[in-house]
Amino acid sequence: MKRILVMVSILLILGVAAGFVSCSKKQVGQASDGSVVLNYPHYAVGTHLGRTTFEAFYKRFTEKYNGKITLKIEELPSDTVYNDKMKVLAASKELPDVVDGKNGLKALAIQNGQAVNLKPFLDQDPDFRDKVIGPAALAANTEPDGKIYSVVSGSQIIGYYYNKEMFQKAGIQPARTWDEWFSNCDKLKASGVAPLALMTGENSWTTNLILSAMVSSRGSAGQAFMNTKYPKTYQTPEVIAALGDIQRCLQKYTTPDALGALYANAANNFLMEQAAIIANGPWMIGDFSNLEKTAPGFDKRVGWSMFPGDGLVTSYPEGQVLCSPPDRVEAGWILLKELCSREYQLDALRLQGGLPTAVDLEIPEDVRQSMPLVVEHANSVSQMKYHGDTFDVVSYASVVDAFGRYYPELAAGTLTPAAMAVRLDQAAAAAN
C-alpha cells in the first residue's frame, strides 16, 4: 500500500510539473487567443518625456496586430530602474524580446548571445533600411564586422536652452566663447539665479552634455576624442582641461541639489525657473508648454543656442535591440520595426519634438508653427563648426556610472581633474 502511495505521489508530482511546463510555455510564447506574446518592458511612464509617444504607439500596435501579436508590457518607473533590471536579465540571458540598447545594454545583449543580427532583416526590406532608418543612422550602429544589432528612430541634435528673461535681466546674450560662457555665469549668479541646471545622478546627462561640448571644442584632438567609440584613455589634455571647467561649474554655477540629482531634478529646476540654462535635446520642447510641469507662457521665455563656438552634441543613440528566441524572432522584428516606423517618428516629432531619422519625413507645417525651436535645431547643423557624440554612446557603461560616482569628489575639491581621468580609465578597464 505504501509503495502504491509513493508511486501515486510521484505521478502527481510529474503531472503537476508537466502541466506547469506546458503552462509556462504557453504564457511565454502564446496567448489564449493564439497570438504570439512578446515581452516589452519600458520606462516611458508618469512624467517621462516619451510617455505620450509610447501611448500612441501602443494603441496603434494593438489595433494593427490584434489576434496576431500580444504585447506583454511591464512599466518600470525610471531609466535607472530599467537599466538595473535589464542588466540582471542580461546576466541570466533573459532579456525581453526588444530592449533599449542604451547605457551598455546593447553590448551586454551581444555579449550574452541574445542580440540578433538585424542585417539580413534590413537587407530584405530596403525601404525601411534606406528611407525609414537612413544611411547615417545605420552607419552609426554598424559594428566593425558589418553586423547590425540595433536600429534607432531619432537623431540627437543638442545645444542648450536658456531663459530669455533671466538673460535679459543679467544683460547677456548666448556666449560665443567659453570665456564668455563663464562671464555669463558670473552675471547670472550676480542677478540672483543659478546659472546651470546640472545633475550627477543617473548618467549625469545634463552635466555630461556640457562636458562633451567642452572636450570637442578643444581642437581636432578634442573633436576626435568625442567621436571615437571606447577611447583608449581619458587622460588627455582635452578631457582633463574640460573636467576642470566642469569642476568650476559644479562648484560655483549650479543649484544646491545638483550633486546626486536625477534628470527630473535638473529639468524641474529649469522648468520652474530656478536655473537659467539646461543642456538637452529637442524632445524637451514639449515640456516648455506643459502646464503640469511649468507656468503658463514659459515656452515664450525659452531660447535655444548652440554651444560656444557654434558647437553641437550630435548623436544616434544605440536604439532598439532584438533579443527574441528563434520561435518569436519574426514577431520581434515586427515590434522593432513598429518602434522605428514613420508613424512612430512622426508621433515623436509632434508630441515631444524628437527629430526623425526617416530621410523622406519633413517637419510638418503644424510642428513648424507650434514648435519653432525644433526648426532651429534642424537648421543649426548647416552652421555647426564642431561636434561631439554623447559620453553615453562613446563610453562603456562603467565609465558613465563612474562620472556620477566621482563628480561629488571633483566638486568638493578632494579629487583633481587629472585624478578623475585616471578613475575613468580604471572604470573603462573594468569593462573589458
Side-chain angles (χ1 to χ4, degrees), residues 172-186:
I172 60 175
Q173 295 291 326
R176 302 296 303 164
T177 66
W178 287 106
D179 285 342
E180 191 179 356
W181 167 274
F182 285 111
S183 172
N184 281 354
C185 288
D186 283 329

Side-chain angles (χ1 to χ4, degrees), residues 157 282 304 355 363 368 372-382:
I157 298 175
W304 180 81
L355 294 171
I363 299 176
R368 290 179 178 275
L373 288 176
V374 170
V375 181
E376 284 192 47
H377 280 78
N379 293 341
S380 66
V381 175
S382 62

Side-chain angles (χ1 to χ4, degrees), residues 361-421:
L361 189 59
E362 295 186 356
I363 299 176
E365 187 58 31
D366 63 304
V367 176
R368 290 179 178 275
Q369 295 297 324
S370 62
M371 292 191 283
L373 288 176
V374 170
V375 181
E376 284 192 47
H377 280 78
N379 293 341
S380 66
V381 175
S382 62
Q383 305 162 25
M384 176 179 69
K385 294 181 179 174
Y386 69 88
H387 71 99
D389 214 317
T390 66
F391 279 97
D392 285 40
V393 170
V394 303
S395 299
Y396 291 111
S398 57
V399 175
V400 175
D401 291 342
F403 277 111
R405 192 160 58 249
Y406 297 123
Y407 269 147
E409 293 182 52
L410 186 73
T414 55
L415 189 68
T416 66
M420 182 159 174

Side-chain angles (χ1 to χ4, degrees), residues 5 75 78 99 187 196 266 271 283 354 360 389-390 401:
L5 287 174
E75 294 185 340
S78 69
V99 64
K187 291 175 181 175
L196 306 172
L271 294 169
W283 51 86
D360 54 0
D389 214 317
T390 66
D401 291 342

Side-chain angles (χ1 to χ4, degrees), residues 8 140 200 213 323 385:
V8 169
T200 67
C323 297
K385 294 181 179 174

Side-chain angles (χ1 to χ4, degrees), residues 27-234:
Q27 287 176 342
V28 169
Q30 191 174 47
S32 57
D33 63 358
S35 62
V36 178
V37 176
L38 297 178
N39 298 303
Y40 187 69
H42 74 103
Y43 50 89
V45 299
T47 60
H48 192 278
L49 297 168
R51 178 177 62 82
T52 52
T53 302
F54 180 80
E55 289 173 348
F57 153 77
Y58 182 72
K59 182 175 185 296
R60 185 171 57 250
F61 188 93
T62 52
E63 290 174 354
K64 186 174 181 179
Y65 296 99
N66 182 35
K68 298 176 182 175
I69 301 174
T70 298
L71 289 187
K72 187 178 178 183
I73 299 294
E74 181 183 7
E75 294 185 340
L76 298 170
S78 69
D79 301 33
T80 302
V81 173
Y82 179 87
N83 290 335
D84 290 345
K85 179 159 186 174
M86 293 307 110
K87 287 177 182 176
V88 172
L89 293 177
S92 56
K93 299 185 177 181
E94 294 178 310
L95 284 169
D97 289 278
V98 175
V99 64
D100 188 335
K102 69 178 186 176
N103 295 333
L105 295 178
K106 173 181 168 180
L108 292 177
I110 296 172
Q111 189 177 5
N112 77 3
Q114 280 192 264
V116 176
N117 178 19
L118 303 176
K119 193 171 187 311
F121 292 93
L122 290 161
D123 288 344
Q124 291 177 12
D125 194 342
D127 177 74
F128 180 73
R129 180 192 64 195
D130 300 336
K131 295 182 179 179
V132 178
I133 302 303
L138 208 60
N141 278 322
T142 300
E143 304 296 319
D145 62 2
K147 294 179 179 177
I148 300 171
Y149 290 107
S150 66
V151 291
V152 65
S153 60
S155 62
Q156 296 182 337
I157 298 175
I158 300 169
Y160 67 89
Y161 300 104
Y162 62 95
N163 188 307
K164 290 190 285 189
E165 286 190 356
M166 290 180 180
F167 267 44
Q168 185 177 20
K169 182 180 177 182
I172 60 175
Q173 295 291 326
R176 302 296 303 164
T177 66
W178 287 106
D179 285 342
E180 191 179 356
W181 167 274
F182 285 111
S183 172
N184 281 354
C185 288
D186 283 329
K187 291 175 181 175
L188 286 164
K189 188 176 180 180
S191 72
V193 299
L196 306 172
L198 302 180
M199 52 172 280
T200 67
E202 296 172 336
N203 58 353
S204 304
W205 178 248
T206 65
T207 305
N208 275 0
L209 291 176
I210 298 173
L211 179 68
S212 171
M214 287 173 165
V215 173
S216 56
S217 66
R218 285 181 155 86
S220 57
Q223 192 164 177
F225 181 93
M226 283 313 310
N227 288 281
T228 301
K229 191 90 170 176
Y230 308 136
K232 292 180 180 178
T233 178
Y234 290 80

Side-chain angles (χ1 to χ4, degrees), residues 6-29:
V6 170
M7 290 184 66
V8 169
S9 299
I10 292 173
L11 289 171
L12 283 172
I13 292 170
L14 291 174
V16 169
F20 176 77
V21 170
S22 174
C23 181
S24 296
K25 286 181 177 176
K26 188 174 184 180
Q27 287 176 342
V28 169

